[in-house]
Every structure is written in C-alpha cells, then in structure tokens.
Amino acid sequence: MNLLKGDSKTKNLIALDIGSYFIKSLIYQIQEKENRAILISWTKEELKISENNLTSPEIKEKIEKIIEKTEKKAGIKATHILWNLPSSIIKTKGQTFCHQRSNPDLKIDIPEMKNIIQKTQWKAFEEIKKEFSKETGHHETKAKIVTSILTKTSVDENKIENPVGFKGKKLCISVLNNYTHIDWLNQINKISNNLNLELYGLTSSSLTIFNSIDFKKKEKNLLIIDMGGKTTEVTLIKNQGETAETKTFNLGGFSFTRILAEFLELDINQAETIKKKYSKSKISPKAKSKIEKTLKPSIISWAEGIRITLKDFKKKHNTSPKTIFLCGQATKLPGIREILEEKGNFKIQTIEGRDITKVKNKTKLKQ
C-alpha cells in the first residue's frame, strides 16, 4: 500500500536506475487503480555517475538521450519519472508504531485510519530527522521523506490486511520510509522539470525490491544483498517490514573485473567479458581454476564485509536472518553463493525477473 496519493489514470513512467558505472532506463505503463505495472521497454548505458556529477550539464544531457532512446523503442512518451538512487543519497528506514484507541468497542473507520497513518508518519519523521542529523551532520530540518509504504498492520496483536471495520484497543502500523537531504530532492525535482516529466518519486533498490516481490508469504526475517559495480548494499527486513535498515560497504563487481584485468593483462572491457563467461561456466576447466584462485581472496574480503554488517544488525536489532535474497549481476559470480552458505548456513535465493510478480514484462529483459 503506497501512502503517496495518485490518481487512477494510466501513467507512462520512466524509471531511472542510477548505478556506479551504468544507468538503466525502463519505461512502464502504471495502472494505479489495478495496482499493476507493465514493462514496455528498457535501455542500459555505461555512464559513470557520482554524487558530485549527477546534476552536471553533461550527465543531464546523457540522461535525456537515454530516455529518448527508451521512449523510441517503446513507441510511447513518458509523462512521469521515478529515480532509483544509491544508498549514499537515499536512506531506508522501517518503523513500527502502536496506537491505543480511546474506544476499542467502536469499529475502525476510514477517517480514523487516515488519522492514525498521519500520526504514524509524524512519529516516524521525528525519528528519521534525528537519525539523519546524526548520520550526516546536517540539521534535522534538511531531512525529507520521499517515499512511504505501509508494510504491516495489526489490531490487538492480530495481523490484519485492512483494519477498517475491525474493533480493538491497540492498532499497530509498520511503515517503510525512504528519506534524503532536501537539497537532493530539489535538484532531482529540477532535473525532472527540465526533462518535462512529473516527478513520481525517489526510491532505493531495497525498497523497490521489497515492494515488488511478495516476501510476506515467504519469510519473516530476511536480508537483501544487492551487489552493484562499486558497492554492496545489505538490507535487513525484520518481521516482514516492522524494521528495516540498509548498510553499504565499498566492494562491488567492478573490483573483481579490475583484478582479472591485472591478472590476465587485459583491458577492463575484455576482463568484464571473461568474468561473465566465468560466471556462466563458458570457459575451460584450466582457465576456470586459475580465475577461481585469483578471485578467492577478494571474495573472502567481500564475505567479511557481509559478516561485519550482520554483526552490527545483530547488535542493533537482535536478529540474525538465515534467508538471503541476492540481486545484482555480480552475485552470480562463482564463490559468492558458496561462501555465504559455508560461513552462515544461509538459505539463499537469487532474485530473477520471474520473481517480480507485480510487473508484467513485455520485453526480453530477464534480470
């Protein structure tokens, strides 16, 4: 349930996934009344984007060309834009608040539900502002919530999909919020306006994944590990969204490519091709053995980053999930899955296109 209001009309939405080395542009038809999205077309381009150059004229020009290319392939023009940004810009926090009702014998109606959701967001924002200030050193007034999703509701400890019409004394609401610095929001808004697109929202990979896959029927506590080109994001989802937190460390798929390039004395593009062939077991056994030995120390270092992150989650949230959902092309590298299973006895699932049940895919995109 998205807390952001929207009309029931179909929207042509461009979603921009901003990575360290690549940008993906995907165009969807969003049918909000049916809570459905249809993926029409997509484009992937190499583009090195950082916090420092995202708003530069050069990057904005390239983004405009990527959008035009995607629209041309789709045969439709976008009306709205959704930005999927790295955790250095967008933070995710899951929170749960319980409210004592003054008259538990009265049925919960829509006005009361709206009022309680509003109170929940007020309380959530107060906590977020304090955490934002502590993390960034900026004043609390610079924090801004940009996307909110209601993940769980319960009445007197009983989980209920929609509490309207139920009686009870205690109503608890769990919400996932994305937040950022207001300057980032203003800059993204400005870019969107220059593109003649209405800003649909800002989001993060972890929230997008959680909202796109029906985890609720699968696991109570879980981890989402998203390995990008430069960084790895680890997101804890506790009690099906009652609590959520993302931590990032600087080791991603490009590190493995660079090591192969140095070892094999190849340029980066050639090394990336070899890495992909290695991931798909399309190389000789002899070459496979050499690459495995070359990459093993880096995979061990990556696993140590995961271990430290999990230790911090355990200390802060008193939970150690045994289920991991992997996403990002680099997580298919041989040794990644195996070292997680070896070190933590985890149940591991790789997120594929078929898992995104809330999107109808009309393209050949499977990742």
Side-chain angles (χ1 to χ4, degrees):
M1 180 179 178
N2 199 321
L3 298 186
L4 295 181
K5 294 181 180 179
D7 56 46
S8 60
K9 297 178 182 178
T10 298
K11 293 180 173 67
N12 294 334
L13 173 72
I14 279 282
L16 289 182
D17 180 23
I18 308 295
S20 303
Y21 301 100
F22 290 93
I23 180 171
K24 301 182 192 77
S25 169
L26 304 96
I27 192 163
Y28 298 87
Q29 285 187 330
I30 305 295
Q31 299 169 333
E32 291 186 333
K33 192 173 182 180
E34 290 80 18
N35 193 27
R36 181 174 64 176
I38 302 171
L39 177 60
I40 306 296
S41 182
W42 65 280
T43 304
K44 179 181 178 180
E45 300 279 354
E46 185 173 354
L47 186 62
K48 293 182 179 180
I49 297 178
S50 68
E51 294 179 50
N52 298 324
N53 71 359
L54 177 59
T55 57
S56 70
E58 180 186 0
I59 294 297
K60 286 190 281 189
E61 183 181 349
K62 289 182 178 179
I63 287 174
E64 187 172 357
K65 288 181 179 179
I66 290 168
I67 291 174
E68 288 176 357
K69 185 176 180 179
T70 310
E71 290 176 328
K72 188 175 180 180
K73 287 169 67 177
I76 59 175
K77 291 285 291 182
T79 57
H80 294 69
I81 186 168
L82 173 70
W83 296 79
N84 189 75
L85 298 164
S87 60
S88 57
I89 298 175
I90 293 287
K91 306 292 183 183
T92 301
K93 187 173 180 62
Q95 299 150 286
T96 297
F97 298 95
C98 294
H99 307 267
Q100 299 293 329
R101 301 181 66 228
S102 57
N103 195 336
D105 294 324
L106 281 181
K107 290 182 179 180
I108 299 168
D109 58 17
I110 293 176
E112 181 183 5
M113 191 64 191
K114 286 184 176 180
N115 182 49
I116 289 178
I117 288 175
Q118 190 176 46
K119 286 181 178 179
T120 297
Q121 281 298 81
W122 285 341
K123 291 182 178 181
F125 192 35
E126 286 303 311
E127 287 190 5
I128 283 171
K129 287 190 293 184
K130 292 175 183 176
E131 192 162 316
F132 169 85
S133 181
K134 185 178 179 181
E135 288 175 346
T136 66
H138 295 290
H139 195 273
E140 291 182 5
T141 55
K142 296 294 183 179
K144 184 72 175 178
I145 291 178
V146 292
T147 313
S148 302
I149 293 175
L150 192 66
T151 58
K152 187 178 176 182
T153 54
S154 65
V155 178
D156 293 342
E157 311 300 334
N158 297 309
K159 183 182 174 184
I160 296 171
E161 191 72 23
N162 185 356
V164 174
F166 286 82
K167 299 177 182 179
K169 186 175 182 179
K170 185 170 73 171
L171 172 58
C172 296
I173 292 180
S174 300
V175 63
L176 279 175
N177 283 307
N178 273 337
Y179 62 97
T180 189
H181 194 292
I182 193 170
D183 289 351
W184 272 113
L185 178 59
N186 291 338
Q187 288 178 41
I188 295 295
N189 225 331
K190 186 177 179 181
I191 298 173
S192 303
N193 289 335
N194 290 340
L195 293 167
N196 293 317
L197 295 169
E198 185 177 335
L199 182 61
Y200 190 78
L202 283 69
T203 188
S204 61
S205 294
S206 55
L207 187 61
T208 301
I209 292 167
F210 182 82
N211 197 36
S212 300
I213 298 177
D214 194 3
F215 291 119
K216 299 177 183 179
K217 294 181 180 178
K218 296 177 182 179
E219 300 293 341
K220 188 175 181 181
N221 302 315
L222 59 92
L223 295 167
I224 301 170
I225 298 179
D226 182 6
M227 190 192 297
K230 188 177 180 180
T231 63
T232 295
E233 293 185 6
V234 186
T235 300
L236 168 70
I237 304 291
K238 182 180 177 182
N239 291 336
Q240 299 176 340
E242 284 185 8
T243 304
E245 185 177 356
T246 298
K247 288 190 174 295
T248 304
F249 60 91
N250 291 320
L251 208 167
F254 187 73
S255 299
F256 302 114
T257 304
R258 188 174 61 248
I259 289 166
L260 283 181
E262 293 172 358
F263 174 71
L264 299 174
E265 297 182 350
L266 300 171
D267 65 36
I268 290 297
N269 292 330
Q270 290 173 321
E272 182 67 22
T273 300
I274 294 293
K275 187 181 77 173
K276 288 179 180 178
K277 289 182 177 180
Y278 172 63
S279 296
K280 296 177 181 178
S281 298
K282 291 184 177 181
I283 58 175
S284 68
K286 185 177 180 180
K288 181 179 179 181
S289 178
K290 286 184 177 181
I291 292 175
E292 185 178 331
K293 289 179 182 178
T294 302
L295 295 182
K296 188 174 182 180
S298 296
I299 290 175
I300 291 174
S301 296
W302 179 84
E304 179 64 11
I306 298 294
R307 187 193 69 79
I308 293 170
T309 302
L310 293 181
K311 185 178 179 181
D312 188 69
F313 282 156
K314 171 69 174 177
K315 182 179 179 181
K316 190 172 181 180
H317 301 289
N318 193 31
T319 185
S320 299
K322 289 298 180 182
T323 298
I324 292 177
F325 286 84
L326 294 176
C327 58
Q329 192 66 29
T331 58
K332 295 184 178 181
L333 198 68
I336 293 293
R337 189 183 187 113
E338 290 79 2
I339 199 167
L340 290 173
E341 291 174 336
E342 175 190 334
K343 298 289 185 181
N345 192 28
F346 293 105
K347 175 186 173 184
I348 299 172
Q349 181 175 328
T350 302
I351 297 176
E352 304 287 351
R354 61 178 177 269
D355 299 314
I356 311 297
T357 56
K358 296 182 181 181
V359 176
K360 184 177 180 181
N361 186 1
K362 285 193 173 182
T363 75
K364 294 181 180 179
L365 178 67
K366 301 302 178 186
Q367 297 177 9

